[in-house]
Amino acid sequence: MNENLMDKVVSLCKRRGFIFHSSEIYGGLSNTWDYGPYGVELKNNLKRSWWKSVVYERDDVFGMDAAILMHPKVWEASGHVDNFFDLKSDCKSCKKRFKAADLKETKKCPECGGELTEARAFNLMFKTHQGAVEDAANAIYLRPETAQGMFVNFQNILDSKHPKLPFGLAQIGKAFRNEITPGNFTFRTREFEQMEIEYFVRPEEADKKLEEWIEARFNWYLNLGVRKDNLRRRPHGKDELAHYAKACTDIEYNFPFSTKGGSASGGGWSELEGIANRTDFDLRQHSQASGKDLQYFDNVTKEKFYPYIIEPSGGVDRSVLALLVDAYNEEKVKDDLRVVLKLHKDLAPVKVAVLPLLRNRPEIVELAKKLTRDLKKKMVTVYDDTGAIGKLYRRQDEVGTLYCVTVDVQSLEDKQATVRHRDTMQQERVSIDNLKNYLEEKLT
Ligand code: GAP
């Protein structure tokens, strides 16, 4: 484990505008984070890649965007009111709070050795009130998972799209959990974003489809360039399964910090995404609670039944963190240390930076700015003339910019610019007329 690496990534995130502490000028709200200019680009690129792979590149999954607020009965039927809680103990001396699961056999406070309170159940859902009156009748929850928005729309999808099994729904959105032990930067927070698929299948096909989704999702992370050594699949033990699941396999990443309680196996390995077989639990529960028949009718076999649901459920923030850690590289270049984020080309927040070699030469600046305007129409491009070229390169390396295009005196004559490649630092001269095509080809 390399806790030092984590400090470096957290520091880079703040220094270069990826992730800031929320409400920092007021001392910060604990374990809450804001994404800055580069962070939001990285996050959006990640979400776009997910959507492309699970919606656009398939013909059996449809997108959705359900509301965060839902009828309170949803959470009774889903089992979250009765089952979605953690057991917690407080230290009577230092007042620290612990998840009972993390304490295992320990009877004393792991921080100060003080006496612990009895473990008490603590529901993880955020409760609030809808409308002007704050009474029990108006109580409402912030959703702890996006999944339920897809289950309660099952009939709407059948009526509007008439899909045949197997088919799925995909959604990206915020979820909220009043976690007892948030921490490790954006790894466990109370407000976070999920990318979830609810894939409806015939019950007898569920085991096979579960395996297929585990493979598909594992490969998605690999295709985004995550190092193979840092990824693994881990099937859940029976005692770990959520109240709705029959089986579940986590895709885990080897984070550079101890994820006490984050994974049964401990160490840095912890969950990026869970792929579960939720059986017909949710559709049955909602049928019963709403009085609406949510069974599927098979036109060919004339059978009516509740489909099983295979659910690949990943975290946006956790994936962004894993990608940042994975992409962080330090390289010795002569007497200098080059920090470079080797992010996949689809994920890099900035694709091209245009840098004039001499900022006091108006013709060079003008040409560089014109080039920037042209490239901006096709790819995320920035212009920077605020330092010497070496410094500008380092700055772009730190945020993972793929190509730096330098305009110099010679460019005015031969109409060529120097393209520097992030990962190899190799440079080549490319005709300015052909630059857009050249870069587009590299990026696709
Ligand atoms: N619908 C199933 C479900 O919500 P989960 O394993 O509780 O399953 C899915 O959550 C994913 O959401 C996790 O794999 C993780 O990436 C992310 N996630 C869950 N709780 C989180 C938290 N407190 N902070 C950040 N991400 C979280």
Side-chain angles (χ1 to χ4, degrees):
M1 242 173 317
N2 183 354
E3 312 247 354
N4 195 19
L5 168 60
M6 196 56 203
D7 291 342
K8 288 176 179 173
V9 170
V10 173
S11 156
L12 183 140
C13 282
K14 163 125 174 99
R15 190 172 72 248
R16 300 314 318 276
F18 279 89
I19 301 174
F20 306 123
H21 199 173
S22 166
S23 323
E24 198 176 320
I25 59 167
Y26 290 101
L29 179 64
S30 64
N31 300 297
T32 312
W33 305 95
D34 298 337
Y35 288 80
Y38 292 119
V40 69
E41 292 297 332
L42 173 55
K43 199 169 160 182
N44 284 343
N45 290 343
L46 179 82
K47 291 191 275 185
R48 240 190 307 274
S49 162
W50 183 86
W51 195 267
K52 181 166 168 277
S53 106
V54 304
V55 180
Y56 294 153
E57 288 178 1
R58 301 180 63 111
D59 43 26
D60 57 352
V61 177
F62 313 113
M64 270 214 55
D65 186 18
I68 288 174
L69 301 178
M70 300 182 74
H71 197 291
K73 284 195 175 152
V74 167
W75 306 110
E76 288 169 23
S78 69
H80 283 81
V81 170
D82 290 336
N83 297 306
F84 197 55
F85 56 79
D86 273 343
L87 291 173
K88 67 171 171 71
S89 280
D90 295 321
C91 173
K92 290 182 183 171
S93 305
C94 71
K95 310 292 177 209
K96 279 224 158 154
R97 180 158 287 174
F98 301 94
K99 260 187 178 178
D102 293 346
L103 292 167
K104 298 194 173 78
E105 302 300 302
T106 320
K107 296 275 179 278
K108 297 277 177 212
C109 170
E111 297 285 330
C112 73
E115 195 186 338
L116 295 168
T117 61
E118 284 295 313
R120 277 173 298 153
F122 182 77
N123 194 296
L124 298 177
M125 281 197 294
F126 273 96
K127 205 174 192 176
T128 183
H129 294 90
Q130 180 162 265
V133 186
E134 285 195 19
D135 65 16
N138 294 334
I140 199 162
Y141 299 100
L142 301 186
R143 66 181 177 198
E145 59 173 9
T146 68
Q148 299 299 328
M150 295 183 266
F151 303 144
V152 300
N153 275 295
F154 179 68
Q155 193 61 48
N156 284 332
I157 299 296
L158 289 184
D159 294 344
S160 57
K161 298 284 299 179
H162 310 287
K164 298 272 169 279
L165 290 183
F167 74 90
L169 296 174
Q171 166 162 254
I172 300 175
K174 290 265 183 171
F176 302 83
R177 295 181 190 175
N178 207 356
E179 297 280 2
I180 296 170
T181 54
N184 284 322
F185 199 28
T186 55
F187 178 80
R188 183 173 290 112
T189 50
R190 296 190 171 109
E191 172 183 344
F192 55 95
E193 220 171 344
Q194 291 186 314
M195 311 178 277
E196 296 202 297
I197 301 156
E198 307 303 330
Y199 195 71
F200 302 92
V201 301
R202 297 185 67 91
E204 63 274 19
E205 288 204 312
D207 292 345
K208 185 169 148 256
K209 294 292 173 197
L210 179 67
E211 292 310 315
E212 285 176 13
W213 272 109
I214 294 168
E215 279 319 292
R217 297 301 307 137
F218 191 81
N219 288 333
W220 182 72
Y221 290 101
L222 285 182
N223 290 339
L224 286 182
V226 178
R227 291 170 221 221
K228 209 171 179 180
D229 293 351
N230 283 335
L231 271 185
R232 72 177 188 189
R233 309 164 186 80
R234 190 183 65 80
H236 278 208
K238 289 279 173 238
D239 56 337
E240 288 178 79
L241 292 171
H243 63 273
Y244 49 72
K246 179 183 158 201
C248 183
T249 289
D250 282 348
I251 295 174
E252 293 190 333
Y253 183 79
N254 194 9
F255 284 96
F257 47 75
S258 167
T259 53
K260 198 171 62 166
S263 149
S265 47
W269 289 103
S270 205
E271 177 185 348
L272 270 185
E273 169 159 350
I275 300 119
N277 176 354
R278 288 182 80 125
T279 70
D280 55 6
F281 176 86
D282 300 278
L283 291 179
R284 270 187 195 278
Q285 289 291 108
H286 287 305
S287 281
Q288 222 169 51
S290 66
K292 302 279 186 301
D293 184 1
L294 298 180
Q295 292 184 86
Y296 174 85
F297 179 68
D298 189 318
N299 269 327
V300 179
T301 62
K302 308 294 176 207
E303 294 164 280
K304 204 173 171 197
F305 58 93
Y306 289 106
Y308 270 32
I309 295 168
I310 304 303
E311 178 193 63
S313 171
V316 175
D317 311 83
R318 244 177 230 191
S319 295
V320 166
L321 181 57
L323 287 161
L324 283 168
V325 165
D326 213 72
Y328 185 95
N329 278 274
E330 286 179 353
E331 295 170 2
K332 206 145 178 37
V333 182
K334 294 188 189 132
D335 291 334
D336 199 11
L337 190 69
R338 178 170 97 112
V339 173
V340 52
L341 276 190
K342 292 191 174 170
L343 288 165
H344 186 280
K345 65 180 167 57
D346 294 349
L347 299 177
V350 177
K351 310 301 180 198
V352 183
V354 182
L355 317 169
L357 196 64
L358 300 171
R359 58 188 150 150
N360 53 4
R361 286 284 298 267
E363 321 90 277
I364 294 180
V365 168
E366 199 184 312
L367 179 57
K369 284 191 173 167
K370 181 180 176 308
L371 200 51
T372 309
R373 282 195 300 275
D374 283 352
L375 293 175
K376 264 180 188 288
K377 290 178 193 147
K378 291 287 177 184
M379 57 202 77
V380 179
T381 305
V382 298
Y383 171 87
D384 193 1
D385 65 3
T386 56
I389 193 71
K391 195 168 165 194
L392 297 183
Y393 280 154
R394 292 289 177 271
R395 218 184 261 170
Q396 296 301 330
D397 285 343
E398 273 201 324
V399 299
T401 302
L402 291 159
Y403 301 100
C404 287
V405 174
T406 310
V407 178
D408 53 23
V409 179
Q410 210 188 324
S411 308
L412 299 173
E413 286 156 24
D414 64 8
K415 306 284 180 266
Q416 292 186 344
T418 303
V419 177
R420 173 188 178 268
H421 299 242
R422 178 195 67 192
D423 294 348
T424 59
M425 291 193 289
Q426 275 183 350
Q427 303 190 0
E428 57 181 316
R429 295 288 284 178
V430 177
S431 145
I432 289 176
D433 282 347
N434 189 38
L435 196 60
K436 204 181 333 179
N437 289 344
Y438 169 91
L439 291 169
E440 268 188 313
E441 224 166 80
K442 296 268 178 213
L443 292 171
T444 42

